Amino acid sequence: MAAMTAVTDEDQGNDSGTRKADGRWDDGLIARRAAAAATRGTAEPVPRAPADDDPAPQVEAYAPADGPLPTRLDALRELVGLSRARLDRDTLAEAGRVLDEAAARQRLSSRHTVIAVAGATGSGKSTLFNALAGATISDTGLRRPTTSQPIACSWTDGAAGLLDRLAVPGRLRRRPHPGPAASDEALQGLVLVDLPDHDSAATEHRAQVDRVLALVDAVIWVVDPEKYADAALHERYLRPLAGHAEVTFVVLNQTDRLPGEAADLVLDDLRRLLDEDGIAVGEHGEPGATVMSLSALTGDGVPELRELLGRFVQDRTAATRRLSADVDAAAARLRPVYVAGGRAGLGERARDAFTDRLAEAVGAAAAGQAAEREWRRNASRACGTPWLRLWRWYENRGLPGSLDRMGQALTPPEEELTARQRVEQAVRTVADDAAEGLPGPWAQAVREAAFTGAEGLPEALDDLAVRAGAPGAGKRGGETETETGRDTGAGAQPGGARPAKPPRPKWWPVAVLAQASMTLLQIFGGLWLVGQIVGVLEPGLVTPALIMLAGVVGGPLVEWACAAAIRGPARRYGQDAERRLREAAAGCGRARVLDPVAAELARYREVRERYVTVTKFSTTGR
């Protein structure tokens, strides 16, 4: 057969090239370029209408279909962008490669379909490549490996960009031999690439196979009766590319070596192996890989393969299907970092439990009890008998501060550590609850957000406790004292300010007046009796004794009645103080811990929605 010419944008003819004595290929291109340059240098350019046999190359940019692929690529691009700060570079490397290759393919011609012919040593792939091209383009023979670099054959012009992307040298770009193969209208747009052996002993050959297989639109795997079950083929290529079944052809070659019905038996066994690899075989009109047998040497079955390739090329969806399969594969690899078994989120029960733990750590209940005691103490001061108040003053006059302050001074340092540990336990528990059901990287991001926000939380809660006057709080400063040296109690203000006294009921002045009246009765009755004893007044013990007894009995009765009346308001005041401190602690914990955790969960839900969009229109069911 005649030698093939290299495919270039300038050379559209079918002139046969010649090989020089030194072995270098010469198709006349360099000479024509030199002549054209000399002509331009000596004369003005003359417009030349393209001849019928020298058409200008036409390159049609890739026009993506209106299907789901553009939406999936956009979602995958957003998914990668949102995940860069949470996932390592290696995890996103494959998705980034798919996006880059998709963008590169979409910038190139959509009229061409690039199909690689791959196979093992001695499988006859180069022979099949030549049979499809109708000429001896790729060398065949007993020397192994025969093919050392990819060789391309393009049926139409405009494929230079695609071949540049595959890094096929210009000297290895060919056109089919003039004849039935070249003039087949169904094959117009086909770019066939013969690859080196995938099991070659040369490492660089295997590297070229792996590189080109990641870039072509479809693959024809050529197997022979001896090595069709080779583990290297199935484990390294067919099984990982099971999702690319719609752009895969598996051809059993060299059937002329099999006697009788042996070819059908081997073909059935090949289908069984493909099924075990997870490759769907396209039969009865169902999508999947094309599996057939032929003999490239005798030509038996080659026309049928050429017809299948013609329909495949004219469909012009190979590139889209290949990119969709690549997106499916990338999404399948990313599934462990976006999908987990449980349901992600932070429920109200976990939030309430976190608030309860913070309230316990800040001492909200103790602050409420202290506020209630302060209310009762103020009521006792206002409504109690003066003799009882005098006795209490006498008992406390030699003590340095109140009993509450003494309790704080005697509190062991371990109590503060216990409060800090309670805060840390609360943060750790809510982080674990929020991370439950999340994939590993996102669970770690949620925990980091919680622990980072919790830095300084114990100190902030301690400040809240100081403001509320909670017992045991304010060991680092901030306590205030009243003029009598007592603890400020509930409502204490930082910085030495006086505490806000509990509000007094409207009936307190009446109770104070009644208690003062009882005291005056006691004093009046006592003075009357003293006057009778010293003889200043007329004797008569009954009346002054009754008056004094009324004051003595009435004072405690008034105090008891006031104590009973203030029980409800004091309890409500303590509950309000506990609620305020609890809400303040909850607000502090929400701003420092819950809000950052919620932001991480919102980010995860956003990327999860993008991932669902990527996998929603999967063509492989992954």
Side-chain angles (χ1 to χ4, degrees), residues 93-180:
E94 178 62 18
R97 186 197 68 81
V98 170
L99 290 173
D100 293 341
E101 297 302 337
R105 182 63 180 91
Q106 290 177 343
R107 287 193 297 266
L108 300 174
S109 172
S110 64
R111 297 188 302 111
H112 293 81
T113 301
V114 184
I115 302 179
V117 181
T121 303
S123 62
K125 58 181 179 56
S126 296
T127 304
L128 177 60
F129 178 83
N130 294 333
L132 292 174
T136 305
I137 297 177
S138 184
D139 294 336
T140 61
L142 298 177
R143 182 177 60 87
R144 298 289 182 264
T146 303
T147 306
S148 60
Q149 287 184 319
I151 301 175
C153 180
S154 176
W155 265 252
T156 54
D157 304 324
L162 292 170
L163 296 178
D164 290 340
R165 179 169 174 252
L166 300 180
V168 177
R171 59 186 178 83
L172 298 179
R173 302 179 184 183
R174 301 289 185 267
R175 295 292 294 274
H177 182 71

Side-chain angles (χ1 to χ4, degrees), residues 128 182 220 236 251 394 398 427 457 497:
L128 177 60
I220 300 176
R236 186 176 180 183
V251 176
Y394 175 76
V427 174
L457 180 60

Side-chain angles (χ1 to χ4, degrees), residues 350-421:
R351 293 175 180 269
D352 294 341
F354 178 68
T355 301
D356 293 340
R357 292 188 178 94
L358 290 186
E360 182 181 359
V362 80
Q369 295 172 1
E372 183 177 352
R373 288 195 302 269
E374 180 68 13
W375 179 285
R376 291 176 180 270
R377 185 161 53 242
N378 290 340
S380 177
R381 291 171 183 172
C383 304
T385 62
W387 321 117
L388 183 59
R389 293 202 301 270
L390 184 62
W391 174 254
R392 289 173 180 169
W393 172 83
Y394 175 76
E395 283 187 338
N396 298 331
R397 63 188 178 88
L399 298 178
S402 66
L403 295 177
D404 291 339
R405 293 289 301 278
M406 285 188 63
Q408 295 178 18
L410 297 177
T411 300
E414 289 78 5
E415 183 173 341
E416 181 180 358
L417 296 178
T418 301
R420 178 180 292 273
Q421 291 172 355

Side-chain angles (χ1 to χ4, degrees), residues 249-306:
F249 295 79
V250 182
V251 176
L252 176 63
N253 193 17
Q254 303 178 9
T255 56
D256 57 294
R257 298 170 50 190
L258 299 175
E261 298 179 354
D264 294 335
L265 296 177
V266 174
L267 191 63
D268 291 340
D269 192 50
L270 176 60
R271 289 193 177 96
R272 179 187 62 81
L273 294 175
L274 294 177
D275 183 69
E276 293 179 357
D277 292 335
I279 298 179
V281 178
E283 295 179 335
H284 309 293
E286 297 180 357
T290 301
V291 183
M292 61 179 300
S293 60
L294 53 78
S295 174
L297 184 62
T298 64
D300 183 24
V302 174
E304 288 78 1
L305 176 60
R306 185 180 288 113

Side-chain angles (χ1 to χ4, degrees), residues 299-592:
D300 183 24
V302 174
E304 288 78 1
L305 176 60
R306 185 180 288 113
E307 181 181 356
L308 291 174
L309 291 177
R311 292 199 298 266
F312 185 78
V313 170
Q314 292 306 313
D315 191 32
R316 292 191 179 182
T317 60
T320 299
R321 284 188 279 179
R322 169 60 196 259
L323 294 178
S324 296
D326 288 343
V327 173
D328 291 341
R333 295 185 62 177
L334 291 175
R335 181 179 178 83
V337 298
Y338 291 114
V339 180
R343 181 179 180 182
L346 191 61
E348 290 298 327
R349 180 177 299 179
R351 293 175 180 269
D352 294 341
F354 178 68
T355 301
D356 293 340
R357 292 188 178 94
L358 290 186
E360 182 181 359
V362 80
Q369 295 172 1
E372 183 177 352
R373 288 195 302 269
E374 180 68 13
W375 179 285
R376 291 176 180 270
R377 185 161 53 242
N378 290 340
S380 177
R381 291 171 183 172
C383 304
T385 62
W387 321 117
L388 183 59
R389 293 202 301 270
L390 184 62
W391 174 254
R392 289 173 180 169
W393 172 83
Y394 175 76
E395 283 187 338
N396 298 331
R397 63 188 178 88
L399 298 178
S402 66
L403 295 177
D404 291 339
R405 293 289 301 278
M406 285 188 63
Q408 295 178 18
L410 297 177
T411 300
E414 289 78 5
E415 183 173 341
E416 181 180 358
L417 296 178
T418 301
R420 178 180 292 273
Q421 291 172 355
R422 288 176 180 174
V423 174
E424 293 175 353
Q425 182 182 5
V427 174
R428 186 164 50 251
T429 302
V430 76
D432 292 340
D433 291 341
E436 185 178 0
L438 290 177
W442 297 98
Q444 181 64 25
V446 167
R447 291 189 178 94
E448 290 179 357
F451 295 146
T452 302
E455 295 178 357
L457 180 60
E459 290 76 9
L461 294 178
D462 189 74
D463 291 340
L464 293 177
V466 169
R467 294 189 182 96
K475 294 183 177 64
R476 288 179 293 276
E479 303 95 329
T480 59
E481 298 182 2
T482 62
E483 294 178 351
T484 60
R486 293 181 180 272
D487 182 32
T488 58
Q493 303 297 325
R498 288 182 176 273
K501 293 183 178 181
R504 295 187 176 187
K506 295 180 179 180
W507 51 265
W508 271 23
V510 178
V512 172
L513 181 60
Q515 191 64 261
S517 301
M518 296 299 104
T519 303
L520 291 176
L521 288 177
Q522 296 178 40
I523 296 174
F524 179 74
L527 292 177
W528 194 344
L529 289 176
V530 171
Q532 290 181 359
I533 293 174
V534 299
V536 177
L537 299 176
E538 295 181 0
L541 298 177
V542 177
T543 301
L546 291 176
I547 293 175
M548 186 175 180
L549 181 61
V552 172
V553 175
L557 287 177
V558 171
E559 183 176 1
W560 176 82
C562 291
I566 66 173
R567 188 173 302 168
R571 185 180 299 110
R572 288 192 296 271
Y573 179 74
Q575 291 174 351
D576 290 342
E578 179 181 357
R579 177 183 53 80
R580 288 193 298 270
L581 183 56
R582 183 185 183 90
E583 291 177 353
C588 185
R590 180 171 56 253
R592 290 175 175 265

